[in-house]
């Protein structure tokens, strides 16, 4: 049994430490890319500033409950913003939205 003075043993610790810099760099690059692409989409499709925030969260795979908590709005308001984003982009599901954003990322990478 572990006492409070004994360190936790993690067999993956050294491997994680070696890859942390690479993982962090990829995360930052992906975050920047998502921010840039979502901003581009928001401007092109005339999303409101709040809808642009919602788009950014949806593109990262978050749901209405998460958006409610993150933006400090009611669930019905979050769903209303999501519906507005879907309507303006011409998509019907979050899966379609994710494919839409990924397509924009791929096009940006080709340029």
């Amino acid at each position: 049994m572990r006492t409070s003075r004994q360190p936790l043993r993690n067999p993956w610790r050294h491997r994680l430490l070696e890859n942390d810099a690479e993982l962090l760099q990829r995360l930052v690059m992906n975050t920047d890319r998502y921010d840039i692409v979502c901003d581009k989409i928001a401007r092109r499709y005339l999303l409101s500033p709040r809808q642009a925030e919602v788009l950014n969260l949806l593109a990262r795979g978050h749901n209405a409950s998460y958006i409610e908590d993150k933006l400090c709005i009611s669930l019905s308001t979050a769903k209303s913003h999501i519906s507005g984003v879907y309507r303006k982009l011409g998509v019907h599901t979050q899966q379609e939205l994710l494919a839409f954003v990924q397509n924009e990322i791929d096009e940006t990478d080709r340029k």
Side-chain angles (χ1 to χ4, degrees), residues 4-105:
S4 61
R5 293 182 186 195
Q6 293 175 331
L8 289 172
R9 292 186 177 207
N10 183 349
W12 302 103
R13 181 172 181 262
H14 297 292
R15 183 173 181 195
L16 287 176
L17 291 176
E18 292 170 2
N19 293 327
D20 278 349
E22 180 184 333
L23 291 172
L24 183 59
Q25 182 179 7
R26 282 197 337 226
L27 178 63
V28 168
M29 286 176 55
N30 286 337
T31 299
D32 290 343
R33 206 167 15 175
Y34 273 99
D35 289 341
I36 291 166
V37 168
C38 286
D39 184 55
K40 180 179 167 184
I41 292 169
R43 282 185 278 115
R44 184 184 313 143
Y45 289 89
L46 304 175
L47 300 183
S48 71
R50 186 58 108 183
Q51 287 174 332
E53 287 180 282
V54 169
L55 169 64
N56 205 306
L57 293 170
L58 289 170
R60 287 171 165 71
H62 297 297
N63 62 14
S65 295
Y66 179 88
I67 292 168
E68 169 193 18
D69 293 338
K70 180 76 174 173
L71 301 181
C72 300
I73 57 178
S74 72
L75 183 59
S76 63
T77 301
K79 289 180 179 181
S80 178
H81 288 313
I82 291 168
S83 294
V85 170
Y86 286 1
R87 185 180 63 255
K88 287 183 178 181
L89 299 183
V91 299
H92 300 95
T93 65
Q94 188 170 6
Q95 192 63 43
E96 288 179 13
L97 177 98
L98 294 172
F100 185 93
V101 171
Q102 186 60 53
N103 186 48
E104 289 290 325
I105 289 172

